[in-house]
Amino acid sequence: MRCGKEDVWVKIVREVLGWAGSIGISFALVLFIGIFVFQPYKVDGHSMDPTLQDEQRIYISKLTHTFAKEPAYGDIVVIDSRVDRPRTFKDSFMEQPVIQWIAGSAKEKTFFVKRVIGKAGDVLEFKDHQVYRNGQVLSEPYLKETMQFVSDKKWTVPEGHVFVMGDNRNDSWDSRNIGFIPLDHVMGVKKLP
């Protein structure tokens, strides 16, 4: 029994379609996990010293973002610093490393790694080189050094927002500069042991 040319081509086409389907499903799964479950990020700079170092890779759980949950005090979060504009699903899709690689787009420095200091309704003050939340000084053993920042201003965190700061308070671009972070701009949480 001989195979005709048509039989060979049918087998090749089936094989190619089988592989294409597997690759397509894998690609969709990678995107789904990256958008909704977890994603790697790289620390860029020294604002989280000594807790996290420059260039350190971290993985964050995106379930907080996916289910619109408020992070806890002290959580290390990745935030989208573009707080002056709303986020869309297109943002989450286009920010995936695989999509950026395919598109050949360079990463903008819009994602910051910070720590949650205040949540909705909290009143924050910066006096005596310490942070006060609702009149109580925070115990912050993770800080690199004494914070030099002081302010007479009282910061009241609005509903649906958080206030974040870096652990290296003297070298951190955070809510003191960019303002309160909308919860939909909290991309995910890194839980430390």
Side-chain angles (χ1 to χ4, degrees), residues 125-126 150-154:
E125 297 176 83
F126 303 95
V150 292
S151 174
D152 292 333
K153 179 180 177 181
K154 288 186 179 184

Side-chain angles (χ1 to χ4, degrees), residues 75-130:
D75 277 351
I76 292 177
V77 295
V78 172
I79 62 159
D80 179 346
S81 65
R82 301 169 294 183
V83 298
D84 55 339
R85 69 175 195 65
R87 282 193 56 83
T88 64
F89 179 75
K90 181 181 176 187
D91 291 325
S92 294
F93 182 79
M94 295 305 293
E95 292 160 357
Q96 289 307 300
V98 174
I99 298 300
Q100 287 182 336
W101 179 74
I102 290 170
S105 61
K107 277 192 171 181
E108 299 175 40
K109 293 187 178 186
T110 57
F111 296 104
F112 297 166
V113 180
K114 302 296 174 192
R115 188 179 297 273
V116 175
I117 301 300
K119 301 195 301 186
D122 287 337
V123 177
L124 300 170
E125 297 176 83
F126 303 95
K127 55 187 181 182
D128 305 323
H129 304 285
Q130 294 181 309

Side-chain angles (χ1 to χ4, degrees), residues 19 41-42 54 60 84 100 106-107 119 173 177 189:
W19 277 101
Y41 282 92
K42 184 166 65 170
D54 184 33
I60 62 159
D84 55 339
Q100 287 182 336
K107 277 192 171 181
K119 301 195 301 186
W173 190 262
N177 312 100
V189 175

